[in-house]
Each structure stands twice: as C-alpha cells, then as structure tokens.
Amino acid sequence: FAIHDMEVPTIVARFEAVATASGIVVRWELVDELPFASVTPERSTQMVGPWMPVVGDRLTQGSLNEVSDLAVEAGQSYWYRLVATRPNGAVVTFGPVKGDAAAVAGFALASPWPNPAAGPMRAEFAVAAEAPVRLSVVDVAGREVALLAEGNYRPGHYVALWDRVGGSGRVPAGLY
C-alpha cells in the first residue's frame, strides 16, 4: 500500500444555519468567491430535497454572507445547501447543514421598518399558538388605512409587507 499526502484546497470556510428569534440565519464564507458567478442558499424540509431558494435580504461583510430565512415554521427542522454557479455554467453544491427554528415563546409585533418609510414597509409578527390574527394600518384618527394580515395563523414568525397603498389608492407620507 502507499500513503499519499494529498493537498485539498478549502473552498467553504464557514457554513451554518442558526436559529434566531425571527427565523433561521444562514451564514457562509467562501475562501475565494471569484470562481463563482453566483451563490444561492436553498432550503428543504428533508435532507435530500426538494429544494427551494431562500428568499430574504442578503447581507455581505467582507467574505461573510448571510440571509435571514423568515419563512420557517417555529419548532421545525430545515436543511440548507449552497448552490454555486461558475461563469461557464457548471454548478457546485455545498452542504447540507441542518437548522432548527426556535419555538415562539409568545405573541409579538416588531416595530415596522424602515421607519419613516418613503417606499414599502414591513412588519414582523410572531404567533405562539394557533390563533386568529388581524393586522392593519390605522391613521392617527384610528381609521383603518390598509389590512396587512387576517385569518388563522399557526405558531411561527411572519412578515407582512405594506406598499403604502390603502383602500383609496396611494397613501401620503404621515403617521400611521
């Protein structure tokens, strides 16, 4: 037999899925992203798929990237992988890694942001037990301007988006 001292280059320096109060943060750091035209995180409820892209704002600080996956169900486990595409179209997959979404401890409504908003605004809310939810935007006189969410919601974290359109059209900037 023979022993070979093979040198294998490191591509992925960090890849993790960490539970937060609002979902799961997927973080990755590649040693050299230059050989890739794009890197997309994907999620599945099972280790072998089916896979779907993680939708969220991507934050990049140097070589560290992260995406907050807010579309997870509290108390559930998810699998994440990275799909990297080279400039020639070849695809390389890294992972999967497992992430467990934290259970929601109580009902909560986060401050809407951005605030003040010149464009779309988002409001995050959490539901601790299955319950009817009605989330609306009201003006300073208490009149309902827009309905953001209504219906029965299972335990978990949710995001409601408001494009500043009310029942009578575009709503002017102001206090709501």
Side-chain angles (χ1 to χ4, degrees):
F1 73 92
I3 297 176
H4 298 279
D5 187 13
M6 297 176 59
E7 190 173 304
V8 178
T10 301
I11 298 174
V12 179
R14 179 181 191 178
F15 183 29
E16 62 186 2
V18 180
T20 66
S22 59
I24 296 177
V25 173
V26 180
R27 291 188 186 101
W28 70 95
E29 184 174 3
L30 303 181
V31 174
D32 185 9
E33 283 198 46
L34 292 178
F36 301 112
S38 67
V39 178
T40 304
E42 294 183 339
R43 175 188 74 206
S44 176
T45 55
Q46 299 189 15
M47 188 176 182
V48 295
W51 299 94
M52 59 186 283
V54 176
V55 177
D57 295 329
R58 183 169 169 173
L59 176 65
T60 302
Q61 295 176 332
S63 60
L64 179 65
N65 297 275
E66 75 175 41
V67 172
S68 294
D69 187 359
L70 303 177
V72 297
E73 191 172 319
Q76 297 296 313
S77 295
Y78 297 90
W79 293 91
Y80 294 90
R81 71 179 187 177
L82 297 175
V83 177
T85 306
R86 295 189 185 275
N88 66 1
V91 175
V92 180
T93 303
F94 304 103
V97 297
K98 186 178 180 186
D100 298 314
V104 178
F107 292 93
L109 176 63
S111 296
W113 65 275
N115 188 12
M121 181 202 82
R122 62 189 283 145
E124 298 178 21
F125 62 99
V127 179
E130 186 166 341
V133 171
R134 181 175 171 82
L135 179 62
S136 62
V137 177
V138 296
D139 64 15
V140 292
R143 295 178 298 237
E144 185 175 86
V145 175
L147 181 61
L148 303 182
E150 183 174 40
N152 280 332
Y153 281 78
R154 295 177 59 186
H157 300 276
Y158 298 92
V159 176
L161 300 175
W162 183 41
D163 56 4
R164 289 192 33 231
V165 174
S168 59
R170 187 104 175 127
V171 176
L175 298 174
Y176 296 97

